[in-house]
């Protein structure tokens, strides 16, 4: 059984399509490289993708952001530190989980409940795949793709920025290197999902 047949359920069709494109880039390797990224191959998914560059525990740069994300939230996140998008109390834990994903390369699925200006909530599934810089031996990049679980909005909507500070239901997805523990021994009291 191959990688795509072992994806956990439930995942949206868009998330599965994203992971299929990511998987195609890697071929027989564990990880694709930055140079393998083909936005044309992503098609309509490219607008809801973003690329994280994991430089260190406190430095996770957002290298690029899809146009649809920028349009929907009304701000261009390119150049921002990904950790600045989380609550201060959750920052170290989010950094830990991101670095764990790099150290033992795996994909991730996580859910956000975005609060809209209208008072409605838009659930969003976020999946990701790790990559290497060209010629590097280890993962340092994460390509993410967001999929609204209730369809897409025709017009941009105001999103409460506090609503994407904490996620829910995070799970690691094995890509062939196993998955790191969700909660290391020293953090047994911590919430595993954020």
């Amino acid at each position: 059984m191959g990688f795509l047949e072992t994806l956990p359920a439930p995942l949206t069709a868009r998330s599965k399509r994203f992971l299929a494109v990511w998987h195609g880039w890697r071929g027989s390797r564990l990880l694709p490289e930055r140079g393998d990224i083909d936005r044309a191959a992503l098609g309509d998914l490219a607008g809801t993708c973003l690329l994280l560059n994991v430089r260190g525990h406190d430095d996770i740069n957002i290298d690029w952001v899809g146009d649809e994300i920028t349009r929907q939230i009304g701000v261009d996140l390119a150049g921002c530190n990904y950790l600045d998008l989380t609550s201060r109390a959750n920052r170290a834990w989010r950094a830990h989980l991101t670095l764990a994903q790099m150290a033992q390369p795996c994909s991730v699925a996580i859910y956000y409940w975005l609060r809209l200006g209208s008072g409605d909530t838009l659930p969003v599934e976020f999946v990701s795949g790790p990559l290497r810089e060209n010629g590097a031996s280890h993962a340092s990049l994460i390509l993410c793709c967001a999929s609204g679980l209730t369809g897409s909005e025709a017009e941009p909507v105001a999103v409460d920025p506090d609503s994407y500070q904490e996620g829910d239901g995070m799970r690691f997805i094995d890509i062939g290197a196993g998955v790191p523990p969700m909660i290391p021994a020293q953090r047994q009291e911590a919430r595993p999902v954020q």
Side-chain angles (χ1 to χ4, degrees):
M1 191 177 317
F3 168 70
L4 296 175
E5 292 77 33
T6 63
L7 289 174
L11 285 177
T12 63
R14 281 179 55 85
S15 290
K16 289 179 182 176
R17 194 161 40 102
F18 167 80
L19 290 171
V21 171
W22 172 87
H23 178 66
W25 292 337
R26 72 182 182 149
S28 61
R29 303 168 294 174
L30 179 63
L31 298 171
E33 294 186 343
R34 182 189 286 263
D36 295 319
I37 296 173
D38 177 358
R39 292 189 202 193
L42 287 167
D44 66 319
L45 299 173
T48 61
C49 287
L50 58 86
L51 182 66
L52 303 178
N53 187 344
V54 182
R55 300 173 178 164
H57 190 270
D58 291 318
D59 187 8
I60 302 175
N61 190 62
I62 301 174
D63 277 5
W64 60 265
V65 179
D67 295 340
E68 185 63 21
I69 291 176
T70 300
R71 186 177 81 83
Q72 289 292 336
I73 66 172
V75 94
D76 186 359
L77 298 174
C80 294
N81 187 336
Y82 169 69
L83 297 174
D84 290 341
L85 304 179
T86 192
S87 64
R88 199 163 277 300
N90 191 40
R91 187 178 172 116
W93 185 234
R94 174 127 359 143
H96 166 79
L97 292 174
T98 304
L99 292 172
Q101 183 185 5
M102 298 293 88
Q104 187 169 355
C106 60
S107 290
V108 166
I110 190 167
Y111 300 87
Y112 291 91
W113 308 96
L114 302 183
R115 288 185 304 275
L116 309 180
S118 64
D120 292 336
T121 299
L122 174 64
V124 174
E125 180 177 74
F126 229 76
V127 294
S128 66
L131 299 99
R132 299 177 292 148
E133 285 289 358
N134 296 334
S137 60
H138 61 280
S140 63
L141 304 167
I142 303 172
L143 185 62
C144 308
C145 183
S147 298
L149 299 179
T150 60
S152 61
E153 298 287 330
E155 295 298 321
V157 292
V159 175
D160 177 356
D162 289 339
S163 67
Y164 50 79
Q165 288 190 353
E166 304 225 3
D168 196 12
M170 181 184 165
R171 56 200 162 140
F172 291 124
I173 300 171
D174 190 354
I175 63 168
V179 295
M182 281 296 292
I183 308 175
Q186 69 271 24
R187 285 283 309 241
Q188 290 297 321
E189 79 288 354
R191 291 178 58 199
V193 180
Q194 287 185 353

